[in-house]
């Protein structure tokens, strides 16, 4: 039977990361996967996570299953982090959430719930979007539409085109939005633009699904949730897929949450039941370790303060690196790279062709996605000149 399987193309992100790992050339620079790297090119464990882990190791007395919705402290902490402690939706008891294996699990469970509620739903995705959105949501059976989002010529959001396309979204449809740090472009909506989308959702009746995998890495935890919170204030329904991979560095612990803001308490509870049933079909119970750590950090003032400080430093380093990279690229190539400094989060497109990206990888050991998406956090003082010179050489 298994010999009937067709060979698959390599994953557009992980496949290149594997190539980079296998490259033994000394000058290698890997800017493929969206993982935060510090100045020494290392993906660190947050000190807040280390402390929480130490406490957990001392106190943990069982490895019995978590309940299907996951750890209560984690879910409550994530709801507050996303919606704000003074959220009216939280106060009104119209929010439910389930702990999931990473942000991918949150997207998958959300899609399962959407499919149960509206099998004809079409999911509108930005062009471009994170390449995994399509197989992840599509495997549930949902259909897709795409809306224009990024204009590669002037490296900015083509908001007029986005609005024009979304005018065709129906009440049974879902519009997938990136809460902040748009992956892959780094080009985010302004608050005014979020307000327009909120008005459209209200008038047309579509449901926004906000993938917010990078909260805290654009302009800070509160600022990065502002667009999402604006939707939640105004609309009866918003679906949120959140992750602690990036903002707590819990990548391998697979820690995320699907949060459902609903019209009322009864719908929130029914939605949670559907989410739990979906989880039962797919993986039964979520993994505990990462959520127990995150739950501690989010509910403990000392750990929480430490975590917020560490995250703010990461965010500053990424934004500082954006400025330095812009300057180095301009210096070596004479080309205007101002957009890199305007964009936010880990990613930006360098605006190269596939051939140029392939040349960089093969001749210069400089790895980025074939779309020329780079992980800005992988740039540091040791490699920045090499990166800029190599890019200039293929331009
Ligand atoms: C990325 O876009 O590089 C990250 O979100 C990691 C992944 O799973 O693709």
């Amino acid at each position: 039977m298994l010999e009937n399987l067709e060979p698959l193309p390599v994953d557009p992100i992980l496949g290149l990361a594997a190539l980079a790992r296998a490259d033994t050339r000394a000058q290698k620079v890997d800017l493929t996967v969206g993982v935060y790297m510090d100045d020494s090119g290392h993906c660190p464990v947050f000190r807040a996570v280390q402390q929480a882990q130490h406490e957990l190791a001392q106190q943990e007395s069982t490895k019995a299953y978590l309940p299907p919705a996951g750890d209560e402290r984690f879910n409550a902490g994530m709801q507050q982090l996303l919606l704000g402690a003074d959220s009216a939706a939280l106060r009104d008891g119209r929010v439910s959430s389930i702990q999931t294996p990473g942000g991918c699990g949150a997207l998958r469970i959300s899609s399962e719930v959407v499919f149960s509620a509206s099998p004809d739903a079409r999911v509108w995705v930005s062009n471009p979007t994170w390449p995994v959105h399509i197989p992840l949501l599509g495997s549930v059976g949902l259909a897709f539409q795409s809306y224009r989002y990024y204009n590669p010529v002037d490296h900015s959001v083509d908001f007029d085109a986005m609005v024009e396309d979304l005018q065709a979204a129906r009440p049974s449809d879902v519009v997938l939005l990136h809460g902040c740090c748009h992956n892959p472009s780094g080009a985010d909506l302004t608050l005014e633009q979020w307000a327009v989308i909120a008005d459209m959702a209200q008038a047309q009746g579509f449901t926004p699904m906000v993938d917010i995998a990078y909260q805290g890495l654009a302009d800070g935890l509160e600022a990065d949730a502002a667009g999402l919170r604006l939707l939640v204030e105004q609309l009866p329904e918003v679906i949120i897929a959140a992750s602690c991979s990036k903002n707590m560095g819990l990548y391998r612990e697979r820690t995320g949450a699907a949060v459902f803001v609903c019209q009322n308490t009864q719908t929130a509870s029914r939605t949670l039941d559907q989410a739990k049933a979906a989880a039962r079909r797919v993986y039964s119970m979520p993994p505990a370790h990462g959520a127990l750590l995150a739950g501690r950090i989010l509910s403990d003032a000392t750990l929480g303060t430490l975590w917020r400080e560490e995250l703010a430093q990461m965010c500053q380093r990424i934004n500082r690196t954006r400025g330095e990279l812009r300057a180095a690229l301009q210096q070596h190539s004479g080309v205007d790279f101002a957009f890199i400094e305007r964009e936010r989060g880990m990613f930006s497109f360098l605006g190269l062709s596939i051939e140029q990206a392939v040349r960089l990888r093969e001749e210069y050991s400089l790895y980025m996605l074939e779309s020329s998406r780079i992980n800005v956090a992988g740039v540091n003082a040791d490699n920045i000149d090499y990166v800029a010179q190599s890019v200039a050489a293929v331009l």
Side-chain angles (χ1 to χ4, degrees), residues 25 115 129 131 140 146 154 168 181 183-184 276-277 304 329 362 384 389:
R25 288 173 287 180
F115 190 72
T129 194
V140 175
S146 85
D154 63 9
C181 308
N183 182 2
K276 288 194 283 193
L329 284 166
E362 290 178 350
I384 188 163
Q389 279 161 13

Side-chain angles (χ1 to χ4, degrees), residues 13-14 32-35 104 130 132 183 214 246 347 373:
I13 299 176
L14 303 182
T32 57
V33 185
V35 167
C104 291
W130 182 48
V132 190
N183 182 2
Y214 294 84
K246 328 279 172 171
F347 309 116
R373 186 198 83 170

Side-chain angles (χ1 to χ4, degrees), residues 74-349:
F74 170 78
N75 281 322
M78 288 300 284
Q79 290 179 6
Q80 287 208 3
L81 182 69
L82 293 159
L83 304 180
D86 58 354
S87 154
L90 279 180
R91 219 175 25 246
D92 295 345
R94 57 185 191 93
V95 181
S96 58
S97 61
I98 180 167
Q99 179 200 321
T100 55
C104 291
L107 287 165
R108 173 68 196 230
I109 294 301
S110 300
S111 316
E112 296 263 351
V113 169
V114 166
F115 190 72
S116 303
S118 172
D120 297 329
R122 302 172 306 171
V123 182
W124 290 78
V125 292
S126 63
N127 181 15
T129 194
W130 182 48
V132 190
H133 276 144
I134 311 277
L136 191 58
L137 278 69
S139 58
V140 175
L142 293 166
F144 289 97
Q145 293 284 322
S146 85
Y147 59 88
R148 283 169 290 165
Y149 184 80
Y150 184 72
N151 179 347
V153 178
D154 63 9
H155 301 278
S156 65
V157 175
D158 190 349
F159 191 64
D160 291 343
M162 175 179 180
V163 166
E164 194 183 320
D165 291 350
L166 289 182
Q167 271 157 7
R170 303 187 295 228
S172 56
D173 287 352
V174 166
V175 173
L176 183 62
L177 300 157
H178 299 221
C180 61
C181 308
H182 184 267
N183 182 2
S185 72
D188 284 341
L189 298 178
T190 64
L191 215 47
E192 290 72 34
Q193 291 169 337
W194 279 99
V196 173
I197 301 298
D199 288 344
M200 289 180 76
Q202 193 160 34
Q204 294 171 227
F206 63 75
T207 301
M209 184 192 284
V210 180
D211 180 349
I212 182 158
Y214 294 84
Q215 187 184 358
L217 289 163
D219 293 304
L221 283 168
E222 303 303 314
D224 294 357
L228 162 66
R229 290 178 191 175
L230 200 144
L231 298 184
V232 170
E233 263 167 39
Q234 193 172 329
L235 300 173
E237 276 183 4
V238 179
I239 299 171
I240 307 163
S243 168
C244 299
S245 293
K246 328 279 172 171
N247 64 12
M248 288 199 190
L250 289 171
Y251 305 88
R252 63 175 61 176
E253 304 296 357
R254 311 312 299 137
T255 310
V259 179
F260 305 97
V261 179
C262 304
Q263 205 138 18
N264 53 44
T265 310
Q266 192 194 20
T267 311
S269 143
R270 211 181 293 157
T271 306
L272 180 60
D273 288 344
Q274 288 281 346
K276 288 194 283 193
R280 188 66 164 148
R281 290 197 292 275
V282 185
Y283 55 78
S284 282
M285 273 74 68
H289 192 68
L292 294 179
L293 302 178
R296 269 169 196 265
I297 291 169
L298 294 171
S299 61
D300 179 291
T302 312
L303 287 177
T305 304
L306 177 60
W307 166 62
R308 281 167 192 267
E309 281 168 13
E310 293 182 270
L311 178 62
Q313 281 166 16
M314 280 186 176
C315 182
Q316 280 159 17
R317 193 187 94 76
I318 293 177
N319 288 333
R320 194 174 60 241
T321 304
R322 285 185 168 280
E324 291 163 359
L325 182 61
R326 171 222 174 142
L329 284 166
Q330 285 184 188
Q331 185 202 332
H332 289 287
S333 70
V335 176
D336 179 10
F337 278 95
F339 65 90
I340 291 189
E341 212 169 350
R342 281 198 307 271
E343 292 170 350
R344 282 291 174 272
M346 287 195 195
F347 309 116
S348 277
F349 287 124

